[in-house]
């Protein structure tokens, strides 16, 4: 007995994935709309960024922990000076945030990123709750900020 072999039917092509109309409109515009702030959020102060002196050289460095999901968290460093003055010569040098971030990541064995914000300056964001370790690193190893300039929030 011979088995009858039937030819395979060609599958219909899947319809192209089309985003919903609202997302298509945003994609055409080229950028996302700014996030809306509720009335309660507009009443909040940014806090901690007004205490910088002229030139941003003697402000406070704020180290915060931000909860993500479950046990995961971020450690953020805000208010870090953009430039520092050398003690002996008085020369003004720019801070290399990439080098600091690389050294932080390597010594604390974590991952991190730099966030450039027009209002708050450069923010260093690291994975995990490592506030005390970051403060110790900035004070002892980099010596760019003093113990009085570092403010650890939430501990």
């Amino acid at each position: 007995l011979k088995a009858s072999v039937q030819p395979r039917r060609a599958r219909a092509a899947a319809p192209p994935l089309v985003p919903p109309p609202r997302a298509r409109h945003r994609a055409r515009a080229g950028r996302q709309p700014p996030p809306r702030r509720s009335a309660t959020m507009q009443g909040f102060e940014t806090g901690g960024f007004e205490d910088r002196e002229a030139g941003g050289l003697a402000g406070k460095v704020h180290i915060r922990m931000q909860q993500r999901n479950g046990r995961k968290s971020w450690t953020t460093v805000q208010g870090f000076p953009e430039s520092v003055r050398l003690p002996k010569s008085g020369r003004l040098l720019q801070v290399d945030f990439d080098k600091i971030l690389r050294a932080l990541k390597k010594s604390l064995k974590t991952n991190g990123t730099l966030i450039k914000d027009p209002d708050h300056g450069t923010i260093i964001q690291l994975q995990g709750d490592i506030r005390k370790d970051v403060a110790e690193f900035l004070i002892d190893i980099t010596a760019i900020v003093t113990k009085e300039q570092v403010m650890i929030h939430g501990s």
Side-chain angles (χ1 to χ4, degrees):
L1 294 170
K2 250 185 183 180
S4 64
V5 178
Q6 293 183 352
R8 251 190 182 163
R9 285 191 216 168
R11 278 191 170 169
L17 295 175
V18 179
R22 189 174 194 130
R24 262 186 296 165
H25 174 68
R26 275 191 226 130
R28 265 187 264 138
R31 64 180 184 87
Q32 295 287 338
R36 293 183 188 169
R37 294 180 75 186
S38 66
T40 55
M41 287 305 289
Q42 286 182 358
F44 271 80
E45 294 181 24
T46 52
F49 299 103
E50 296 83 27
D51 58 357
R52 285 191 172 192
E53 293 178 7
L57 297 177
K60 293 246 184 216
V61 176
H62 298 273
I63 302 175
R64 295 181 174 91
M65 191 269 296
Q66 183 180 358
Q67 195 68 36
R68 284 174 44 205
N69 51 5
R71 294 175 54 195
K72 309 289 182 180
S73 59
W74 293 118
T75 297
T76 58
V77 181
Q78 300 173 336
F80 206 73
E82 301 283 332
S83 57
V84 292
R85 188 174 303 278
L86 293 178
K88 289 185 179 176
S89 64
R91 285 187 15 206
L92 199 64
L93 293 177
Q94 294 297 318
V95 173
D96 190 359
F97 286 101
D98 291 324
K99 270 189 179 179
I100 292 174
L101 177 66
R102 215 173 310 127
L104 272 167
K105 286 166 56 174
K106 195 166 192 166
S107 67
L108 301 178
K109 296 174 183 65
T110 186
N111 199 6
T113 185
L114 289 176
I115 300 170
K116 308 252 192 248
D117 188 64
D119 297 334
H120 307 301
T122 304
I123 299 170
I124 300 172
Q125 192 176 53
L126 300 163
Q127 288 181 356
D129 184 8
I130 48 177
R131 291 173 284 191
K132 288 189 168 80
D133 300 328
V134 170
E136 184 180 312
F137 179 89
L138 294 178
I139 294 166
D140 296 338
I141 297 173
T142 65
I144 293 176
V145 293
T146 62
K147 190 173 184 175
E148 292 78 34
Q149 289 176 306
V150 173
M151 188 171 211
I152 302 175
H153 295 273
S155 64

